[in-house]
Coordinates of all heavy atoms in Angstrom, one line a residue:
Q763 N -7.7 -153.4 2.5 CA -7.7 -152.5 3.7 C -8.9 -152.7 4.6 O -8.8 -152.5 5.8 CB -7.6 -151.0 3.3 CG -6.2 -150.6 2.7 CD -5.1 -150.8 3.8 OE1 -5.1 -150.1 4.8 NE2 -4.2 -151.7 3.5
K764 N -10.0 -153.1 4.1 CA -11.2 -153.2 4.9 C -11.1 -154.3 5.9 O -11.8 -154.3 6.9 CB -12.5 -153.5 4.0 CG -12.4 -154.7 3.2 CD -13.7 -154.9 2.3 CE -13.6 -156.1 1.5 NZ -14.8 -156.3 0.7
Y765 N -10.2 -155.2 5.7 CA -9.9 -156.3 6.7 C -8.8 -156.0 7.7 O -8.5 -156.8 8.5 CB -9.6 -157.6 5.9 CG -10.6 -158.1 5.0 CD1 -10.4 -158.0 3.6 CD2 -11.8 -158.6 5.5 CE1 -11.4 -158.4 2.7 CE2 -12.8 -159.0 4.6 CZ -12.6 -158.9 3.2 OH -13.6 -159.3 2.4
L766 N -8.3 -154.7 7.6 CA -7.2 -154.3 8.4 C -7.5 -153.0 9.2 O -6.6 -152.3 9.7 CB -5.9 -154.1 7.6 CG -5.4 -155.3 6.8 CD1 -4.3 -154.9 5.8 CD2 -4.9 -156.4 7.7
V767 N -8.8 -152.7 9.3 CA -9.2 -151.5 9.9 C -8.7 -151.3 11.3 O -8.3 -150.2 11.7 CB -10.8 -151.4 9.9 CG1 -11.3 -150.2 10.6 CG2 -11.3 -151.4 8.5
H768 N -8.7 -152.4 12.1 CA -8.4 -152.3 13.5 C -7.0 -152.6 13.9 O -6.6 -152.6 15.1 CB -9.3 -153.3 14.3 CG -9.1 -154.7 13.9 ND1 -9.3 -155.2 12.7 CD2 -8.6 -155.7 14.7 CE1 -9.0 -156.5 12.7 NE2 -8.5 -156.8 13.8
V769 N -6.1 -152.9 12.9 CA -4.7 -153.2 13.2 C -3.8 -152.2 12.4 O -4.1 -151.7 11.4 CB -4.3 -154.6 12.8 CG1 -5.0 -155.6 13.7 CG2 -4.6 -154.9 11.3
G770 N -2.6 -152.0 13.0 CA -1.6 -151.1 12.4 C -1.8 -149.7 12.4 O -1.1 -148.9 11.7
N771 N -2.8 -149.2 13.2 CA -3.1 -147.8 13.3 C -2.1 -147.1 14.2 O -1.5 -147.7 15.1 CB -4.5 -147.5 13.7 CG -5.5 -148.1 12.8 OD1 -5.5 -147.9 11.6 ND2 -6.4 -148.9 13.3
F772 N -1.9 -145.8 14.0 CA -0.9 -145.0 14.9 C -1.5 -144.9 16.3 O -2.6 -144.2 16.4 CB -0.7 -143.7 14.2 CG 0.2 -142.8 15.0 CD1 1.4 -143.2 15.6 CD2 -0.1 -141.4 15.2 CE1 2.2 -142.4 16.4 CE2 0.7 -140.6 16.0 CZ 1.9 -141.1 16.5
L773 N -0.9 -145.4 17.3 CA -1.4 -145.4 18.6 C -1.5 -144.0 19.2 O -2.3 -143.7 20.1 CB -0.6 -146.3 19.5 CG -0.7 -147.8 19.2 CD1 0.1 -148.6 20.3 CD2 -2.1 -148.3 19.3
G774 N -0.6 -143.1 18.7 CA -0.6 -141.7 19.2 C -1.9 -141.0 18.9 O -2.3 -140.1 19.6
A775 N -2.6 -141.5 17.9 CA -3.9 -140.9 17.6 C -5.1 -141.7 18.0 O -6.2 -141.5 17.7 CB -4.0 -140.7 16.1
S776 N -4.8 -142.7 18.9 CA -5.9 -143.7 19.3 C -6.8 -143.0 20.3 O -6.4 -142.1 21.1 CB -5.3 -144.9 20.0 OG -6.2 -145.7 20.5
K777 N -8.1 -143.4 20.2 CA -9.1 -142.9 21.1 C -9.3 -143.8 22.3 O -10.1 -143.5 23.2 CB -10.5 -142.7 20.4 CG -10.4 -141.6 19.3 CD -11.7 -141.4 18.6 CE -11.6 -140.3 17.5 NZ -12.9 -140.1 16.8
N778 N -8.6 -145.0 22.3 CA -8.7 -145.9 23.3 C -7.9 -145.5 24.5 O -6.6 -145.3 24.4 CB -8.2 -147.3 22.8 CG -8.4 -148.4 23.8 OD1 -7.8 -148.3 24.9 ND2 -9.1 -149.4 23.5
E779 N -8.5 -145.3 25.7 CA -7.8 -144.8 26.8 C -6.7 -145.7 27.3 O -5.6 -145.2 27.7 CB -8.8 -144.5 28.0 CG -9.8 -143.4 27.7 CD -9.1 -142.1 27.5 OE1 -8.1 -141.8 28.2 OE2 -9.6 -141.3 26.7
E780 N -6.9 -147.0 27.2 CA -5.9 -148.0 27.7 C -4.6 -147.9 26.8 O -3.5 -147.9 27.3 CB -6.5 -149.4 27.6 CG -5.5 -150.4 28.2 CD -6.1 -151.8 28.2 OE1 -7.4 -151.9 28.1 OE2 -5.4 -152.8 28.3
E781 N -4.8 -147.7 25.5 CA -3.7 -147.6 24.5 C -3.0 -146.3 24.7 O -1.7 -146.3 24.7 CB -4.2 -147.7 23.1 CG -4.7 -149.1 22.7 CD -5.2 -149.2 21.3 OE1 -5.4 -148.1 20.7 OE2 -5.3 -150.3 20.8
K782 N -3.7 -145.2 24.9 CA -3.1 -143.9 25.2 C -2.2 -143.9 26.4 O -1.1 -143.4 26.5 CB -4.1 -142.8 25.2 CG -4.7 -142.5 23.8 CD -5.4 -141.2 23.8 CE -6.7 -141.2 24.6 NZ -7.5 -139.9 24.5
L783 N -2.8 -144.6 27.5 CA -2.0 -144.7 28.7 C -0.8 -145.5 28.6 O 0.3 -145.2 29.1 CB -2.9 -145.3 29.8 CG -2.4 -145.3 31.2 CD1 -2.1 -143.9 31.8 CD2 -3.3 -146.1 32.2
A784 N -0.9 -146.6 27.8 CA 0.3 -147.4 27.6 C 1.4 -146.7 26.9 O 2.6 -147.0 27.1 CB -0.1 -148.7 26.8
M785 N 1.1 -145.7 26.0 CA 2.1 -145.0 25.3 C 2.8 -144.0 26.2 O 4.0 -143.6 25.9 CB 1.4 -144.2 24.2 CG 0.9 -145.1 23.0 SD 2.2 -145.9 22.1 CE 2.9 -144.5 21.2
K786 N 2.2 -143.6 27.3 CA 2.8 -142.6 28.1 C 3.6 -143.1 29.3 O 4.5 -142.5 29.8 CB 1.7 -141.6 28.7 CG 1.0 -140.8 27.6 CD -0.2 -140.0 28.2 CE -0.9 -139.2 27.1 NZ -2.0 -138.4 27.7
Q787 N 3.1 -144.3 29.8 CA 3.8 -144.8 31.0 C 5.1 -145.4 30.7 O 5.4 -146.0 29.7 CB 2.9 -145.9 31.7 CG 1.6 -145.3 32.4 CD 0.9 -146.5 33.1 OE1 0.9 -147.6 32.6 NE2 0.2 -146.1 34.1
P788 N 6.1 -145.3 31.7 CA 7.4 -146.0 31.6 C 7.2 -147.5 31.7 O 6.2 -148.0 32.2 CB 8.2 -145.4 32.7 CG 7.2 -145.0 33.7 CD 6.0 -144.5 33.0
L789 N 8.2 -148.2 31.3 CA 8.2 -149.7 31.3 C 8.2 -150.1 32.8 O 9.0 -149.6 33.6 CB 9.3 -150.3 30.6 CG 9.4 -150.0 29.1 CD1 10.6 -150.8 28.5 CD2 8.1 -150.4 28.4
N790 N 7.4 -151.1 33.1 CA 7.5 -151.7 34.5 C 8.5 -152.9 34.5 O 9.1 -153.2 33.5 CB 6.1 -152.2 34.9 CG 5.5 -153.2 34.0 OD1 6.1 -154.1 33.5 ND2 4.2 -153.1 33.8
K791 N 8.7 -153.5 35.7 CA 9.7 -154.6 35.8 C 9.4 -155.7 34.9 O 10.3 -156.3 34.3 CB 9.8 -155.0 37.2 CG 10.9 -156.1 37.5 CD 10.9 -156.6 38.9 CE 12.1 -157.5 39.1 NZ 12.2 -158.6 38.1
V792 N 8.2 -156.2 34.8 CA 7.8 -157.3 33.9 C 8.2 -157.0 32.5 O 8.8 -157.8 31.8 CB 6.3 -157.7 34.1 CG1 5.9 -158.7 33.0 CG2 6.0 -158.2 35.5
E793 N 7.8 -155.8 32.0 CA 8.1 -155.4 30.6 C 9.6 -155.4 30.4 O 10.1 -155.8 29.3 CB 7.5 -154.1 30.3 CG 6.0 -154.2 30.2 CD 5.3 -152.8 30.1 OE1 5.8 -151.8 30.7 OE2 4.3 -152.7 29.3
K794 N 10.4 -154.8 31.4 CA 11.8 -154.8 31.2 C 12.5 -156.2 31.2 O 13.4 -156.4 30.4 CB 12.4 -154.0 32.4 CG 12.1 -152.5 32.3 CD 12.7 -151.8 33.6 CE 12.4 -150.3 33.5 NZ 12.9 -149.5 34.7
D795 N 12.0 -157.1 32.0 CA 12.5 -158.4 32.0 C 12.2 -159.1 30.6 O 13.1 -159.8 30.1 CB 11.8 -159.3 33.1 CG 12.4 -158.9 34.5 OD1 13.4 -158.2 34.6 OD2 11.8 -159.4 35.5
R796 N 11.1 -158.9 30.1 CA 10.7 -159.5 28.8 C 11.6 -158.9 27.7 O 12.0 -159.7 26.8 CB 9.2 -159.3 28.5 CG 8.3 -160.1 29.4 CD 6.9 -159.8 29.2 NE 6.1 -160.7 30.0 CZ 4.7 -160.6 30.2 NH1 4.1 -159.6 29.6 NH2 4.1 -161.5 30.9
V797 N 11.9 -157.6 27.8 CA 12.8 -157.0 26.8 C 14.2 -157.6 26.9 O 14.8 -157.9 25.8 CB 12.9 -155.5 27.0 CG1 14.0 -154.9 26.1 CG2 11.5 -154.8 26.6
V798 N 14.7 -157.9 28.1 CA 16.0 -158.5 28.3 C 16.0 -159.9 27.6 O 17.0 -160.3 26.9 CB 16.3 -158.7 29.8 CG1 17.5 -159.6 30.0 CG2 16.5 -157.3 30.4
V799 N 14.9 -160.7 27.8 CA 14.9 -162.0 27.2 C 14.9 -161.9 25.6 O 15.6 -162.7 24.9 CB 13.6 -162.8 27.6 CG1 13.5 -164.1 26.8 CG2 13.6 -163.0 29.1

Side-chain angles (χ1 to χ4, degrees):
Q763 287 299 297
K764 62 182 178 180
Y765 300 110
L766 302 171
V767 174
H768 64 294
V769 293
N771 299 309
F772 177 45
L773 292 182
S776 175
K777 296 180 180 179
N778 185 300
E779 293 298 325
E780 185 177 343
E781 289 181 345
K782 288 196 291 186
L783 185 62
M785 291 293 289
K786 295 178 181 179
Q787 286 185 331
L789 299 184
N790 57 40
K791 184 182 184 305
V792 171
E793 290 173 323
K794 290 178 180 178
D795 285 348
R796 289 173 175 173
V797 169
V798 169
V799 176

